[in-house]
Amino acid sequence: MAALQTVAKKVWSVRRLLVLLCAPLVLLPVVFALPSKEGCCLFVILLMAVYWCTEALPLSVTALLPIILFPFMGILPSSKVCPQYFLDTNFLFLSGLIMASAIEEWNLHRRIALKVLMLVGVQPAWLILGMMVTTSLLSMWLSNTASTAMMLPIASAILKSLFGQKESRKDLSSEGEENAAPTQTNGLHTMPTEMQLLASPEDKDCSEETEAPCSRKEEEYRQNVWKGFLISIPYSASIGGTATLTGTPPNLILLGQLKSFFPQCDVVNFGSWFIFAFPLMLLFLLLGWLWISFLYGGMTLRFLSDAVTGIAIVTILFFFPSQRPSLKWWFDFKAPNTETKPLLTWKKAQDTVPWNIILLLGGGFAMAKGCEESGLSALISKQLHPLENMSPMLAVLLITAVIAFFTEFASNTATIIIFLPVLSELAIRLRVHPLYLMIPGTIGCSYAFMLPVSTPPNSIAFASGHLMVKDMVRTGFLMNLMGVLLLNLAINTWAQTIFQLGTFPDWARNHSASVTTLPPTLANNTLRTL
């Protein structure tokens, strides 16, 4: 028995190497089971999916595999693969990452959080709402992971202040000293910490007098409020990321793949996406808050591309002065001649921006290009012919539910990279607007609430030690269900007008004529249903 345990430990220690070597051998029959190009492309996609899910290689390194495998297997020449890593969509996302560095440098997230929390008061349900609103607003412009990592310490400090835990005051005093340093060095007025803001004199007196152990009911109430706070932050980060094109990678992957599959499609841009997704975010945020509070809170025309705009705004950060310029300085010959510090320096951006995400996006675009050029996406869509007899509304509901379930176990980026080429070809076969299937699929990838491993924000909240898996499954199941139903409501109501989903556009018709030859019998009456 001891020998088996030793062997198991040794196997576990080399698990990544085993996956790295065995996965290509296990997937090799796929190459021979399909036509040459389609089989080779599916082999590469499955191999990348396995490597991404198991992290046998770093995610960004796995994203570089198409540069090696696509030319080697005759799927695409390198001249078509490499440009996918430097599309304007990548630079749009890069502008968001650099903006996040500037926000973190000047503690803007803390200021927004404190202002919102001062407005909502100290009742647990209202505090949960304040945290959810703040996190979702940040997540619209920053990555979901960064928003969660920024907000969890604030939530922890507020809860410690609210419950007046004696041992936590020591921890928070050291946190206050650490947080005070950057605000002073940045030349800003010092901010009150969360403790100073929310802890009234009565709370301090109460905490000193009531050191006796709490009743069991009180302790359960405190634990529930802790859970509600911690679980609301990653959920609202995932919801808020859907509201803007730069909020989460799947949204940008949709934009990039639309330009690849349908170059003439200009319906989706920053403005049209925001008009569609922001109301959806508000509705989902409201329902999510009611559900979490019930469980834990005690409440029964365009000339410039978006990439050009994003990079232009980010460029300003590198020379805009961090302090208000003064005319007196020019006439004061004794004043120090020091260079004005900008809002953001390149060293700060270089140190804090996760550059590997750009490669990850590029790998997704390269994979999509391979699916299109090899004919794999068309081949897979043909296998989905049972959906042709289904009404479009029911098809969208089924697709959204499947993707929302799938993304519980795989990263949302990998999920959307795999599904989008299939959804685009399926829409062509169904003769419906491609965005009618692609938009719900994209947003559905962000609705992963049930498991700690579903998203990095979920993992961060779970690592705090106050949540159990059953807490996330219980709360997340209904969150997933509400998200799928709200998404289907949005795509069948106001999205119809914004994206003109009731028509089969000419750019999709042109793609259909050049890529997929449809029998006339397949032109079903889905448009009449819409």
Side-chain angles (χ1 to χ4, degrees), residues 60-75:
S60 53
V61 176
T62 302
L64 294 173
L65 288 180
I67 297 177
I68 305 168
L69 296 179
F70 278 1
F72 180 74
M73 304 182 82
I75 300 169

Side-chain angles (χ1 to χ4, degrees), residues 251-377:
N251 298 356
L252 287 168
I253 291 171
L254 169 68
L255 182 62
Q257 294 200 13
L258 270 178
K259 292 179 179 179
S260 175
F261 294 141
F262 311 108
Q264 296 175 329
C265 173
D266 58 355
V267 180
V268 178
N269 53 54
F270 202 97
S272 64
W273 183 272
F274 185 80
I275 293 171
F276 159 70
F278 186 69
L280 174 62
M281 183 204 81
L282 291 179
L283 280 174
F284 197 7
L285 207 62
L286 176 62
L287 289 179
W289 169 63
L290 291 174
W291 172 237
I292 293 171
S293 297
F294 173 75
L295 287 179
Y296 304 110
M299 215 173 73
T300 27
L301 212 52
R302 297 174 55 84
F303 295 96
L304 297 176
S305 73
D306 293 319
V308 173
T309 308
I311 294 296
I313 293 171
V314 162
T315 303
I316 295 172
L317 297 175
F318 289 100
F319 64 81
F320 198 88
S322 59
Q323 296 186 13
R324 187 183 303 169
S326 172
L327 286 174
K328 293 180 180 178
W329 179 81
W330 291 95
F331 302 101
D332 186 0
F333 296 102
K334 295 182 180 179
N337 298 322
T338 54
E339 189 176 351
T340 305
K341 186 180 178 183
L343 282 173
L344 187 65
T345 62
W346 180 248
K347 188 178 187 315
K348 177 69 177 177
Q350 194 173 3
D351 292 341
T352 57
V353 170
W355 301 96
N356 59 319
I357 300 295
I358 306 299
L359 294 178
L360 193 60
L361 284 177
F365 296 143
M367 186 188 287
K369 192 70 174 176
C371 284
E372 180 190 7
E373 294 283 338
S374 67
L376 176 64
S377 54

Side-chain angles (χ1 to χ4, degrees), residues 50-165:
V50 170
Y51 285 173
W52 267 331
C53 293
T54 60
E55 295 189 14
L57 286 174
L59 296 181
S60 53
V61 176
T62 302
L64 294 173
L65 288 180
I67 297 177
I68 305 168
L69 296 179
F70 278 1
F72 180 74
M73 304 182 82
I75 300 169
L76 276 178
S78 59
S79 59
K80 287 189 175 181
V81 178
C82 293
Q84 304 303 314
Y85 291 82
F86 294 96
L87 298 176
D88 62 342
T89 309
N90 299 48
F91 286 94
L92 176 59
F93 190 60
L94 177 62
S95 66
L97 297 176
I98 296 176
M99 186 74 71
S101 297
I103 289 173
E104 191 173 3
E105 170 76 1
W106 296 97
N107 283 307
L108 180 60
H109 61 290
R110 284 169 52 84
R111 293 172 179 274
I112 295 172
L114 294 180
K115 285 291 182 184
V116 171
L117 294 172
M118 287 172 70
L119 290 174
V120 299
V122 294
Q123 289 295 324
W126 292 107
L127 279 174
I128 289 173
L129 177 63
M131 295 302 297
M132 291 184 74
V133 169
T134 306
T135 308
S136 59
L137 288 175
L138 288 173
S139 188
M140 287 167 59
W141 313 105
L142 315 181
S143 74
N144 299 347
T145 307
S147 303
T148 305
M150 287 176 178
M151 292 302 297
L152 274 177
I154 298 175
S156 179
I158 290 169
L159 286 167
K160 289 172 182 176
S161 171
L162 203 62
F163 295 140
Q165 294 176 3

Side-chain angles (χ1 to χ4, degrees), residues 245-524:
L245 274 178
T246 56
T248 186
N251 298 356
L252 287 168
I253 291 171
L254 169 68
L255 182 62
Q257 294 200 13
L258 270 178
K259 292 179 179 179
S260 175
F261 294 141
F262 311 108
Q264 296 175 329
C265 173
D266 58 355
V267 180
V268 178
N269 53 54
F270 202 97
S272 64
W273 183 272
F274 185 80
I275 293 171
F276 159 70
F278 186 69
L280 174 62
M281 183 204 81
L282 291 179
L283 280 174
F284 197 7
L285 207 62
L286 176 62
L287 289 179
W289 169 63
L290 291 174
W291 172 237
I292 293 171
S293 297
F294 173 75
L295 287 179
Y296 304 110
M299 215 173 73
T300 27
L301 212 52
R302 297 174 55 84
F303 295 96
L304 297 176
S305 73
D306 293 319
V308 173
T309 308
I311 294 296
I313 293 171
V314 162
T315 303
I316 295 172
L317 297 175
F318 289 100
F319 64 81
F320 198 88
S322 59
Q323 296 186 13
R324 187 183 303 169
S326 172
L327 286 174
K328 293 180 180 178
W329 179 81
W330 291 95
F331 302 101
D332 186 0
F333 296 102
K334 295 182 180 179
N337 298 322
T338 54
E339 189 176 351
T340 305
K341 186 180 178 183
L343 282 173
L344 187 65
T345 62
W346 180 248
K347 188 178 187 315
K348 177 69 177 177
Q350 194 173 3
D351 292 341
T352 57
V353 170
W355 301 96
N356 59 319
I357 300 295
I358 306 299
L359 294 178
L360 193 60
L361 284 177
F365 296 143
M367 186 188 287
K369 192 70 174 176
C371 284
E372 180 190 7
E373 294 283 338
S374 67
L376 176 64
S377 54
L379 179 67
I380 295 175
S381 69
K382 289 177 185 176
Q383 309 307 314
L384 300 176
H385 56 82
L387 291 176
E388 294 170 7
N389 300 319
M390 196 180 293
S391 74
M393 283 188 183
L394 189 57
V396 168
L397 182 63
L398 180 62
I399 288 167
T400 311
V402 169
I403 290 178
F405 175 77
F406 188 87
T407 196
E408 294 286 350
F409 305 96
S411 76
N412 55 7
T413 305
T415 301
I416 200 60
I417 287 169
I418 294 168
F419 276 94
L420 268 187
V422 177
L423 294 179
S424 66
E425 292 295 339
L426 179 62
I428 298 297
R429 292 183 65 82
L430 293 176
R431 290 283 178 176
V432 297
H433 199 298
L435 292 177
Y436 187 67
L437 300 184
M438 296 173 78
I439 288 177
T442 300
I443 295 181
C445 283
S446 297
Y447 291 168
F449 304 110
M450 288 177 60
L451 297 174
V453 297
S454 300
T455 63
N458 289 8
S459 301
I460 293 171
F462 184 77
S464 66
H466 294 277
L467 291 173
M468 299 176 69
V469 174
K470 66 178 182 180
D471 296 323
M472 299 198 76
V473 171
R474 180 178 64 159
T475 313
F477 177 76
L478 191 60
M479 291 289 292
N480 275 12
L481 185 60
M482 287 191 300
V484 169
L485 294 177
L486 280 174
L487 182 53
N488 279 266
L489 172 68
I491 204 68
N492 287 295
T493 51
W494 65 84
Q496 295 279 329
T497 304
I498 296 170
F499 299 112
Q500 301 170 1
L501 299 181
T503 62
F504 189 64
D506 291 337
W507 45 264
R509 205 183 309 275
N510 295 338
H511 180 82
S512 172
S514 61
V515 178
T516 310
T517 305
L518 287 173
T521 55
L522 290 182
N524 56 25

